[in-house]
Amino acid sequence: EAVRAISLAVSEFASASQSQIEATSAQQNSEVASARANLQLIGLMSGAIDGLAPVLIWLMVTRPLNSVTAVTERLAKGDLSEIENASRYKGEIGRLARALEVFRNGALERLQMQEEEKKRESEMRDAEHKAEKAKRDAEEKEREAEARREQDLREREEAERAREETDRRARDAEREARAQEQETVVGELASGLRKL
């Protein structure tokens, strides 16, 4: 009976152990199947990532870099037209695009300052030419005025000489007239004295 009891206990223990082993085996089989499914999912995702990686790299790196490179080359050639979509890029490429925009704006400001400087220089040259012309015109007017003054002075001097000449002739004529009158008076007086 003791053997039977031991045998029954061993049989129950074996049965319980067998049930536990089967449960553990089923659980492990389930975990293995789940792990296999996860590995297959990971494999599929890796394949998808491997397939999408070049597209993503092209979209997120290559295309923006090509765009920034094209803008850089365009700026290097002196084309300062608007940089489109510079703010849409993120990260380092976005910082590079914004730096190119700052460079472009600086170049535009420099060109604008050069244009303003040229305009100021042109205005200064025009002002200098006008001042020079005004100075030449003033000098010419002064020379003309001086020539007119000299001409007026010569004309006055000639008029004065002509008046003096006229006065001298008038005085000479008057002297001659007096002299003739005196001669006539003296002649008549002499004639009257002779007769007397």
Side-chain angles (χ1 to χ4, degrees), residues 10-163:
V10 168
S11 175
E12 285 177 7
F13 180 73
S15 217
S17 292
Q18 183 67 29
S19 296
Q20 195 174 7
I21 289 172
E22 287 175 0
T24 303
S25 173
Q27 183 182 2
Q28 285 180 349
N29 284 338
S30 170
E31 287 176 3
V32 166
S34 175
R36 186 177 293 133
N38 285 342
L39 282 175
Q40 287 175 346
L41 182 63
I42 290 171
L44 286 173
M45 289 174 69
S46 295
I49 289 173
D50 284 347
L52 287 175
V55 174
L56 291 174
I57 289 172
W58 182 79
L59 284 173
M60 297 174 73
V61 177
T62 306
R63 191 174 77 165
L65 275 177
N66 286 340
S67 175
V68 169
T69 302
V71 168
T72 305
E73 290 171 349
R74 186 171 48 104
L75 289 174
K77 291 177 183 175
D79 180 4
L80 299 177
S81 58
E82 188 72 29
I83 298 175
E84 297 176 6
N85 302 323
S87 60
R88 77 175 181 183
Y89 300 122
K90 305 291 184 230
E92 288 78 14
I93 294 173
R95 287 176 41 209
L96 182 60
R98 287 187 290 281
L100 286 175
E101 197 166 20
V102 169
F103 174 76
R104 175 193 167 265
N105 292 339
L108 283 175
E109 287 176 10
R110 198 168 42 256
L111 282 176
Q112 186 177 10
M113 288 184 345
Q114 288 173 350
E115 290 289 324
E116 289 173 0
E117 183 65 27
K118 285 179 184 177
K119 186 177 177 183
R120 276 196 301 273
E121 287 176 1
S122 175
E123 288 173 354
M124 286 176 58
R125 279 194 303 273
D126 289 345
E128 286 174 3
H129 288 315
K130 286 179 183 175
E132 187 69 27
K133 187 177 184 307
K135 183 179 175 183
R136 282 194 307 265
D137 290 347
E139 289 173 353
E140 184 64 29
K141 286 180 182 176
E142 183 63 31
R143 281 194 295 272
E144 288 174 1
E146 184 65 29
R148 278 195 302 274
R149 283 194 296 270
E150 289 176 4
Q151 180 68 24
D152 290 345
L153 183 60
R154 279 193 300 271
E155 287 175 359
R156 280 196 302 271
E157 287 174 352
E158 287 176 10
E160 184 67 30
R161 279 194 296 270
R163 193 172 59 250

